[in-house]
Amino acid sequence: MKRPLAMIVGTGHAVPKKILTNSDIAAMGIETTDEWIVERTGIRQRYVAGEGESLTSLSAEAARAAMKVAGVTAPELDIIVLGTASPDRLLPSTAVEVQAAIGATRAAAFDISAACSGWVYGMQIAEGLMALGGAETVLVLGAETLTRITNWKDRNTCVLFGDGAGATVVKRSTKGRGILSAYTRSDGTLADLLHRPAGGALRPVTPEVLADGSNCIAMAGREVFKNAVRSMADACDRALDGAKLAASDIDLLIPHQANIRIIEATAKHAGMPMEKVYVNVDRYGNTSAASIPIALDEALRAGRIKEGMTVMFVAFGAGFTWGSLVVRF
Ligand code: UT7
């Protein structure tokens, strides 16, 4: 495959109406403080899906915004790839519900399960399907309603997550623009460090599961932190090598937004000053698969990315999964 083959022609994002601040969480009776959350994570608030909002509705809103920028109509979409860890239903995929909601009548639609790396994985799937020749216009979504699978009694996790959707329209490359390099890896031996112990087919939901919250996200935070720093560093190195570029060639780094300390460690390893790193974890919390496409859409709309600039994306999440992309805009 000769790169660049696939380029980003439109982005959009959507978030729920309700904002939950750190103080709001403390006021819910959870033993935490705004100071602890800000100091240990950089998070100040997150969006929480409410009545009438769903992964489908947020994804469809983000998709419409991205298609508008791209000048693409829904029936032109060949593929819809949706990365998520919090689908509306376990069967069918949320991607097909988004297809129906936006009227993408010709598309093949499917979800992928790569947790926080979902959008980076999805972009590579889009590029691969385009290389095979069967797809010209692909919608890649990263979207989550994580607050619905959060254990609101567990202060180790409930302060971290937020909801939202980010969408990207991908088309065939022109003028040397598009994905210059891509890298993905997984390590399933560490699956139990960040998971939902029950609620799947192996351990279905029972009254006991609901009572102990084991259908919700459980995480060994410190271990995840260490692996995130190590793997995101690896992913930055590999993406730069693949694109035959140095960190100084990168105009903006958009890392997964889980924790400001992980973002700072990643930037330091990559040798990128924080002025060239996009950060919005303070306003969104960790939105898993949605975090990078939301940040990308914000950065484009704010004029932080201009034509000709080179952007590096790096993600890490449950699985573990990790990966990176270097993209010329
Ligand atoms: O999306 C990709 C996957 N997720 C991540 O990348 C997240 C990775 N992990 C992290 O970001 C961090 O590990 C956390 C933010 C989750 C935790 O920060 P930490 O500095 O690693 O804290 P810790 O887990 O080592 O806990 C330190 C202390 C503990 O108390 P003791 O045992 O020292 O008395 C915790 O019980 O902080 C306590 N603690 C809290 N205190 C107030 C844990 N959560 C809270 C809380 N409020 N919400």
Side-chain angles (χ1 to χ4, degrees):
M1 181 176 70
K2 197 174 168 305
R3 285 187 166 127
L5 183 142
M7 70 173 186
I8 294 169
V9 294
T11 61
H13 81 272
V15 288
K17 285 183 207 70
K18 186 178 170 186
I19 289 176
L20 195 69
T21 65
N22 294 346
S23 310
D24 292 336
I25 294 181
M28 286 158 60
I30 291 149
E31 211 183 312
T32 191
T33 60
D34 177 52
E35 292 72 34
W36 190 95
I37 302 170
V38 172
E39 193 193 309
R40 305 310 294 164
T41 72
I43 299 166
R44 293 181 183 275
Q45 62 168 51
R46 71 286 293 141
Y47 292 86
V48 177
E51 189 78 27
E53 292 171 324
S54 65
L55 195 72
T56 303
S57 70
L58 294 169
S59 301
E61 189 183 334
R64 286 189 196 100
M67 288 189 294
K68 191 171 173 196
V69 174
V72 161
T73 61
E76 290 174 61
L77 298 175
D78 297 307
I79 310 280
I80 300 175
V81 189
L82 189 153
T84 190
S86 48
D88 279 341
R89 294 188 268 179
L90 294 180
L91 189 74
S93 70
T94 303
V96 298
E97 307 212 48
V98 175
Q99 172 188 23
I102 64 176
T105 43
R106 286 180 48 254
F110 55 94
D111 289 359
I112 54 162
S113 177
C116 307
S117 309
W119 181 83
V120 167
Y121 270 57
M123 288 293 290
Q124 293 187 53
I125 291 168
E127 186 191 39
L129 290 172
M130 289 172 74
L132 285 174
E136 290 299 319
T137 308
V138 183
L139 175 67
V140 181
L141 290 149
E144 303 286 1
T145 44
L146 290 177
T147 65
R148 289 186 171 152
I149 55 165
T150 294
N151 182 348
W152 286 98
K153 291 186 188 132
D154 175 16
R155 70 173 182 173
N156 291 297
T157 53
C158 76
V159 302
L160 303 175
F161 302 115
D163 301 334
T168 313
V169 177
V170 180
K171 277 180 96 63
R172 219 161 265 280
S173 167
T174 57
K175 298 187 225 159
R177 297 162 68 190
I179 298 174
L180 302 182
S181 72
Y183 172 73
T184 42
R185 283 292 183 276
S186 313
D187 183 356
T189 64
L190 302 173
D192 288 352
L193 294 176
L194 175 49
H195 65 145
R196 291 174 75 187
L202 181 64
R203 273 188 71 200
V205 174
T206 59
E208 292 72 32
V209 164
L210 287 178
D212 71 14
S214 56
N215 57 318
C216 296
I217 300 170
M219 177 169 75
R222 223 173 286 185
E223 289 308 308
V224 175
F225 188 102
K226 278 189 245 162
N227 279 281
V229 171
R230 191 180 310 134
S231 301
M232 286 170 78
D234 166 55
C236 287
D237 294 346
R238 299 302 188 110
L240 288 173
D241 283 353
K244 297 191 175 51
L245 293 176
S248 54
D249 298 318
I250 302 296
D251 296 295
L252 189 67
L253 172 65
I254 303 188
H256 170 48
Q257 309 281 316
N259 184 317
I260 187 66
R261 294 183 291 134
I262 297 174
I263 294 171
E264 285 168 353
T266 303
K268 191 170 170 202
H269 173 89
M272 298 215 32
M274 284 307 285
E275 303 83 71
K276 285 189 171 183
V277 181
Y278 197 82
V279 176
N280 66 9
V281 68
D282 50 325
R283 287 176 288 127
Y284 294 88
N286 180 349
T287 59
S288 185
S291 94
I292 292 179
I294 290 175
L296 168 61
D297 185 46
E298 278 195 345
L300 280 163
R301 286 174 199 266
R304 294 236 0 223
I305 303 172
K306 298 197 172 63
E307 197 171 326
M309 283 188 172
T310 307
V311 180
M312 180 157 70
F313 302 92
V314 57
F316 173 85
F320 292 136
T321 58
W322 63 102
S324 49
L325 296 170
V326 172
V327 177
R328 177 146 310 133
F329 280 81

